[in-house]
Amino acid sequence: MVTYVSALLYGVGGLVVAGMALLVALQEKLVYVPVLPGLTKSYPITPARLRLTYEDVWLRSSDGVRLHAWFIKLLPDCRGPTLLFFQENAGNIAHRLEMVRIMIQRLQCNVFMLSYRGYGASEGCPSQHGITKDAQVALDHLYQRTDIDTSRIVVFGRSLGGAVGTVVTKNNPDKVAALIVENTFTSILDMAGVLLPFLKWFIGGSSSKGPKVLNFLVRSPWSTIDVIGEVKQPILFLSGLQDEMIPPSHMQMLYAKAAAHNRRCVFAEFPTGMHMDTWLAGGDHYWRTIQEFLQQHVQEKKDDESSNNDIDVGAK
């Protein structure tokens, strides 16, 4: 009996040690995947391939990292909403161009696509601290432009991008008009238990009931659930109910946390939407949901309110 108990304890201990080793050694590679298997880090296409009007933008993050982005405009003089798009954790912004092409047409908007540090043509290595800086410099760049309506900047984040977008929206109530999050997790701490179930007993977010004794090992916790309740701007939640990577319950928990503090929250479900294709599976309903949200919460300025911007543009 003693031998059996000892063996069981050794087995549990071995699992804990193995989990700790995986977290320490591989966590960045699990959270951030700039290069998809079989592909290169470079962009396979540019917006020109899809006949989109765009600008290559080079930025310098506050810690000196050189970043690349594409600013894609519906029309040279488009004054509609400008969406600051934050992508998922895998691949680069070129892999989202087909979706963005349709987004621009359906929403009559501009789209600013940032390559996180370590992704695409951007320098550096990805981390939560660094990507938060990257998101801020992208927003600051947009807010300083004179060729857009800066009162209609909307942050749109999918998956990891939703976590990034929530932080930058919370930190900039005067610059961001609204937030859209799609298929986003409550936290990487909670996702550790989804990907490696035995870890849920040792790692978890604020809503977890486990002991959380290994939380200190997670370098990029991205605890969206602890930030979303502080966002004051309108929020649209887009949830694909067939999401095979992030349990849809995470989106429901994020909505509940936000709605408890913010009355301008909208939750939309798409029954056949998976993690990466909710925009496609949702079809017309997906785009109409976003259109209606923008029309209600990101309205165009009246002529007298926008006169100052018009003067700035004319003087450029």
Side-chain angles (χ1 to χ4, degrees), residues 220-257:
S220 291
W222 287 114
S223 191
T224 315
I225 193 73
D226 294 329
V227 180
I228 198 80
E230 298 180 49
V231 173
K232 305 303 181 185
Q233 300 95 314
I235 310 174
L236 172 61
F237 296 84
L238 304 171
S239 178
L241 298 185
Q242 301 304 315
D243 193 326
E244 75 285 9
M245 296 185 66
I246 297 175
S249 60
H250 282 225
M251 284 290 288
Q252 295 165 3
M253 287 188 282
L254 290 175
Y255 171 73
K257 182 67 175 287

Side-chain angles (χ1 to χ4, degrees), residues 93-107:
I93 55 176
H95 300 128
R96 280 80 194 175
L97 278 174
E98 178 59 26
M99 183 275 298
V100 167
R101 181 184 68 82
I102 298 173
M103 175 185 287
I104 289 171
Q105 294 174 349
R106 292 297 303 263
L107 304 182

Side-chain angles (χ1 to χ4, degrees), residues 9-315:
L9 290 175
Y10 278 122
V12 172
L15 285 174
V16 173
V17 171
M20 291 176 66
L22 282 172
L23 281 173
V24 172
L26 302 176
Q27 61 181 277
E28 272 79 19
K29 293 184 178 180
L30 292 172
V31 176
Y32 309 111
V33 189
V35 182
L36 293 170
L39 301 179
T40 64
K41 183 174 180 286
S42 60
Y43 303 127
I45 61 172
T46 70
R49 174 76 69 85
L50 301 181
R51 299 182 180 180
L52 296 171
T53 301
Y54 79 105
E55 172 187 342
D56 277 303
V57 178
W58 293 95
L59 304 171
R60 186 75 64 175
S61 197
S62 60
D63 57 355
V65 177
R66 191 166 183 255
L67 306 171
H68 177 254
W70 284 327
F71 184 41
I72 307 174
K73 300 189 74 174
L74 173 67
L75 297 168
D77 59 348
C78 176
R79 308 293 291 182
T82 295
L83 271 57
L84 174 53
F85 180 76
F86 296 121
Q87 67 160 75
E88 307 89 329
N89 73 317
N92 59 53
I93 55 176
H95 300 128
R96 280 80 194 175
L97 278 174
E98 178 59 26
M99 183 275 298
V100 167
R101 181 184 68 82
I102 298 173
M103 175 185 287
I104 289 171
Q105 294 174 349
R106 292 297 303 263
L107 304 182
Q108 297 289 289
C109 66
N110 308 308
V111 178
F112 191 92
M113 304 179 74
L114 172 70
S115 278
Y116 307 135
R117 60 183 61 203
Y119 283 70
S122 294
E123 299 174 352
C125 297
S127 67
Q128 178 172 339
H129 186 64
I131 290 176
T132 299
K133 291 178 179 291
D134 302 345
Q136 185 63 53
V137 76
L139 175 61
D140 291 343
H141 168 82
L142 277 179
Y143 198 70
Q144 292 168 5
R145 295 186 71 113
T146 58
D147 59 342
I148 65 171
D149 184 346
T150 55
S151 71
R152 305 181 76 192
I153 296 174
V154 177
V155 169
F156 189 134
R158 179 181 294 138
S159 190
L160 171 66
V164 178
T166 299
V167 172
V168 76
T169 300
K170 188 267 289 187
N171 290 342
N172 296 272
D174 57 332
K175 295 180 180 179
V176 178
L179 171 66
I180 302 173
V181 293
E182 179 178 326
N183 295 338
T184 296
F185 45 74
T186 53
S187 71
I188 291 295
L189 298 170
D190 290 330
M191 283 302 298
V194 173
L195 298 174
L196 299 171
F198 69 89
L199 286 179
K200 68 182 179 180
W201 302 106
F202 309 101
I203 296 175
S206 58
S207 60
S208 172
K209 297 180 180 179
K212 310 174 189 178
V213 294
L214 299 184
N215 277 11
F216 73 97
L217 293 174
V218 180
R219 292 186 288 268
S220 291
W222 287 114
S223 191
T224 315
I225 193 73
D226 294 329
V227 180
I228 198 80
E230 298 180 49
V231 173
K232 305 303 181 185
Q233 300 95 314
I235 310 174
L236 172 61
F237 296 84
L238 304 171
S239 178
L241 298 185
Q242 301 304 315
D243 193 326
E244 75 285 9
M245 296 185 66
I246 297 175
S249 60
H250 282 225
M251 284 290 288
Q252 295 165 3
M253 287 188 282
L254 290 175
Y255 171 73
K257 182 67 175 287
H261 305 275
N262 185 345
R263 293 184 178 180
R264 296 181 296 172
C265 293
V266 178
F267 190 88
E269 296 179 337
F270 303 91
T272 61
M274 299 180 71
H275 189 66
M276 298 289 288
D277 77 346
T278 297
W279 66 274
L280 189 59
D284 187 62
H285 174 48
Y286 177 90
W287 296 113
R288 282 192 291 103
T289 298
I290 301 176
Q291 283 175 334
E292 292 169 3
F293 175 78
L294 295 178
Q295 289 168 1
Q296 181 177 359
H297 297 290
V298 191
Q299 298 177 357
E300 185 175 0
K301 279 185 176 182
K302 297 179 180 179
D303 291 341
D304 58 341
E305 293 175 332
S306 60
S307 58
N308 290 335
N309 274 348
D310 292 339
I311 292 173
D312 290 341
V313 172

